[in-house]
Amino acid sequence: MMETQLVRRHLIDTDGLSLEEMESLFCRAAYWRDHPEAWFQTGKGRFAANWFLEPSTRTRVSFEVAEKRLGMETIPLDGETSSTMKGESFYDTLRTLAAVGVEVVVVRHAGIGTLAEMAWENPGVSLVNAGEGNGGHPTQALLDLFTMREQFGTLKGLTVSIIGDIRHSRVARSNYWALKTFGARVILAGPESMRDPSLEEYAPYLPVDEAIRQADVVMMLRVQLERHRETLFSSPDVYLHAYGLTPERVEAMRSHAVILHPAPVNRGVEIASELVEHKRSKIFEQMSNGVWIRMAVLERALEGGRG
Amino acid sequence: MMETQLVRRHLIDTDGLSLEEMESLFCRAAYWRDHPEAWFQTGKGRFAANWFLEPSTRTRVSFEVAEKRLGMETIPLDGETSSTMKGESFYDTLRTLAAVGVEVVVVRHAGIGTLAEMAWENPGVSLVNAGEGNGGHPTQALLDLFTMREQFGTLKGLTVSIIGDIRHSRVARSNYWALKTFGARVILAGPESMRDPSLEEYAPYLPVDEAIRQADVVMMLRVQLERHRETLFSSPDVYLHAYGLTPERVEAMRSHAVILHPAPVNRGVEIASELVEHKRSKIFEQMSNGVWIRMAVLERALEGGRG
Amino acid sequence: MMETQLVRRHLIDTDGLSLEEMESLFCRAAYWRDHPEAWFQTGKGRFAANWFLEPSTRTRVSFEVAEKRLGMETIPLDGETSSTMKGESFYDTLRTLAAVGVEVVVVRHAGIGTLAEMAWENPGVSLVNAGEGNGGHPTQALLDLFTMREQFGTLKGLTVSIIGDIRHSRVARSNYWALKTFGARVILAGPESMRDPSLEEYAPYLPVDEAIRQADVVMMLRVQLERHRETLFSSPDVYLHAYGLTPERVEAMRSHAVILHPAPVNRGVEIASELVEHKRSKIFEQMSNGVWIRMAVLERALEGGRG
C-alpha cells in the first residue's frame, strides 16, 4: 500500500522531539503568524480529521482554525462517543480514515499510551496528540515555549515555575520535557496532595511564594477544584490564598516576569479574576500562538503524508 | 490590542437599529439575493463561530449557509453544553475565539441580556444574536420585515397581526420594535394566558377573528402546546379552532393579505396543515429570505471586524 | 416554484436502478478515482446537508469527503435528534433545507419507506439514502459491486455468498437487488435465527462451509452479537467457529476468491482478527471505493438539481 512507503510525521509528545525539531516548529509558527498572504494554500484539498473523544472546545477550535488557515478540509469526529465506535478498534477507525483519504488525525482522548502504540502500528495517517489523559499535551507545551521565546528571546537558562495541580496535569509533563531539552530550569509548586513524585526527580518542589519570587515565567495550572474541594479546600477563596496567583503575589514577581496559564481559567481559584488580563499576563497571547504552532505541527504532519 | 481600535458591529436586537440601518440591511439582502456572482468572496479567509447553546436546526443552518455564501470559514460550537464550558465565563470564551482569529460570533442561548452586556465589555468579536431566551430574535424580525416589504413595497402604514403565544415569543418582541420604527401598526391576539402586558402598552389586543380581518400580514406564532395543554387546551384541535389559522379564517382575510410564520410550524395546531403551502403563505419564502438577511447582517459584522 | 420544474435525481435503493444507470455510476466512480485534477470543481458553491438521525461515523465521513472532493459546501445535521425536530414533519425539514439553498440531502435514519414517500412528495431537494432501517443501503451495495467489478472485470455469472445476520441487514437486501440486475448468483448463509424468508425466494440458503467453497466473493456481514448473545451464542468464539470466517475456511475458498465486509468489523466475531488485512481481504479497498461511488451518486443528484 502507498502509505507504508511514506514517512509519517506523528506528534505524540515533546519527549520525542529534539531541540532542532522544536526550533524548526517555532520558526514555522512565526512564519505563519507573519505571512497571512501564505495562508489557505499549503494544505489545499487535503483532509484532517479531528477526533475528540473528550470535549475540548478551546483546543478543537484552535486546531480547526489552524487546519482551515492551511487550506485543509476538516472532518469533525467530536460527537462520537465510545458507544458510536462500539465493537471497532482504535486502529480500524484510523485505517478507515486513511482509506477515505484523510492524511492527518488530531486525537484527544482519555487513555494513555494509545497514540504511541498506534503510531507504531502504522495506520496510514499522521497522528497529532491533542491531549491524552494525564499523559501529554505537546501542542500546548510548544505554544507555551513559543510564547516564552517570543518574550525573552531564548529559553536556555529561563526559570519556569509550574504551580498547581501537577499530578493531574498533562500540560506540566509535556512542558517539563520540552523545557528540559532547551536547558530551562523548572520549579514545581502546589498543594501536597497534587504533587507528582515522578517529576520531582528532575525539578525541585518549592513553596508557592518562593517559586513565584524566583520565576521568569509563572505558569499557573487549572485546578479541577470539584475533585478536591470536599476533602481539602473549603472554598475557592481558601485555595486562591494558599496556592493561587493573587495581586500580592504578582507584586513579588521579578520585574520582567510574565504569567502563563493553559486555560480555561478558573477565575478566582488558581488566579484572581483581575489578573487574567493583567499587563504581565500572556494568557490570550498563548491562545493566539496556539494557532501558529498548530499550523506548524500540521504542516509537518502533511510533509509526512505525501511523497 | 488591535481589536480595541475597531468599531465592532454587533447585532443585539431590533430596538438598537435605526430605520436607516434596517433599510441598508434590506438593500444588501436584496443585493445578495440578486447577485449570486458576488457570492463566496466578501468573507474569504475570515472566521465565524456559531455558538448554539440551545438547539435550533433551522436558524443554525440558515446562518451557516449565509456565512459560507459570503465565503467565510465556519466554526461550529453547537455541541457545547454548559458543562463543557464549566468554570469558564461567557466573556472568556468570546475572548478566546477572538484570540484564535474568529471575527464574528453568532450566539443562541437561553439567557436574557447577556449579549448586550458582552457587547459592552468589548470581547474582540462582533456578536450576532440568533435568539436569546424570551428576549429577542432580531434576524427573524428583519427577515419578516424584508418579506413584507418585498410583498407590499413599503412597511409604513401596514397592519400586522401577531397571533398566538405572545408571552413566550422573542419573535413577537423583535418584530414589534422593528415594525414600530417603520410606522407599521401592530395588533396582538391570542389566548388570555399567553398575553404579554409589557407589549400591550403599544399594541392593542383584539379577538383573533378581528385581528385576522384587519391585517395586511397575519403572523401566526409557534405554540409550544406541551407547555399549556394540560391546563388549558384538551387537544391541538381545540387550540386550532379557538386561536389558529383555519381555512375559514383565511376566507375572512383581506384580499391582498399574506400569511407569515417564523417556523418550525406545528401543523394542525396554530395553523391548519393545508395552509402551510397555501398561495397566501410566505412561510418558505421567509426561510429563503433569512439567508439574504443574514448575509447582510454578517457583512455588517465583518465591516466592524477589520480596519 | 423553480424546483418543481426540475428532474430530481434521488437515490432511494438499488431496486430502482437499471443496469445502465449502475454502469454509468461505476464509470463515473472510476473517473473520480483516476482524475484527482478534476476534484473540487463540479459542486463548487452548491450545498449538501448530511442528516444522520442514526449515528454512523464511517458512512457520514465517506459522504463528507466525497462532497468536499466535489467542491461542495456541507451542512451537518447529525447532532439532531428526533426531539430537536419536535413537532416538525420530515417533509417540512426537507422543504426548509431546499428554501435555504440546499440541493442534496443525504439521509440516514431508522424508519423504512420514508425516503421513497418523500421523493414522491417532491420536497425540492435530491434525496440520497445513506442507510434506512433494515430496508436499504444503496451506496454500500454500489461500492461493493464496484469493488467486485474492479476485481473480476464483470459481475455477470459471479457467485457472491452473503453470510451472517441476513435478517437485520439492509446491506444484504440492497446487494441482492443490484447483483440480480447484473446476473450474478447470490448464496445466503448464516444461523437459522438470522434468516430472512423474503430473500430466500430468490437466493438459496446453504451451510456456511458450502457457501464459502462455492463463492467468488465471500461477503461477511456484521453481527450485532449483543442482540443475540444471551439466547443464542454463549461467546464471540462460539459464533466465529460456527458461522464466522476463520483461517481454516479461507483455505477452503476458491483460489481467486476475495473477502468483503461492509464494516465496521467485529474482529473475532464474524471474522477472525488476522483476516481483516489478509491478502484476499478487500475491506479497506471497499472503504476507498465508497468515496468514488458517493462522488458519482452526488454528481448525479446535482445534475437533477440544476437545469
Side-chain angles (χ1 to χ4, degrees), chain A residues 3 49 77 85 88-102 105 123-125, chain C residues 57-59 61-62 65 262-265 267 276-277 283-288 291:
Chain A
E3 69 266 14
L77 295 174
M85 297 293 177
E88 186 179 46
S89 72
F90 209 103
Y91 172 80
D92 284 346
T93 301
L94 295 177
R95 284 287 289 121
T96 299
L97 292 169
V100 299
V102 169
V105 183
V125 293
Chain C
T57 305
R58 180 177 311 273
T59 304
V61 168
S62 179
V65 171
V265 165
R267 287 173 179 257
V276 173
E277 297 186 78
I283 298 177
F284 290 109
E285 200 174 306
Q286 283 172 277
M287 295 177 198
S288 300
V291 176

Side-chain angles (χ1 to χ4, degrees), chain A residues 277 284, chain B residues 1 3-4 6 8 10 12 51 89-100 102-103 105 107 114-128:
Chain A
E277 297 185 78
F284 290 107
Chain B
M1 303 214 167
E3 69 267 13
T4 59
L6 299 171
R8 291 282 152 193
H10 309 291
I12 308 304
W51 192 14
S89 71
F90 209 103
Y91 172 80
D92 284 345
T93 301
L94 295 177
R95 283 289 288 120
T96 300
L97 292 169
V100 299
V102 169
E103 292 182 68
V105 183
V107 186
T114 313
L115 290 180
E117 196 187 312
M118 286 300 116
W120 185 256
E121 293 205 28
N122 194 18
V125 293
S126 288
L127 292 167
V128 175

Side-chain angles (χ1 to χ4, degrees), chain C residues 3-22:
Chain C
E3 70 265 15
T4 59
Q5 299 160 18
L6 299 172
V7 181
R8 290 283 152 192
R9 298 292 200 94
H10 310 291
L11 176 64
I12 307 303
D13 208 346
T14 48
D15 57 0
L17 292 174
S18 68
L19 187 147
E20 291 69 28
E21 282 176 298
M22 287 192 274

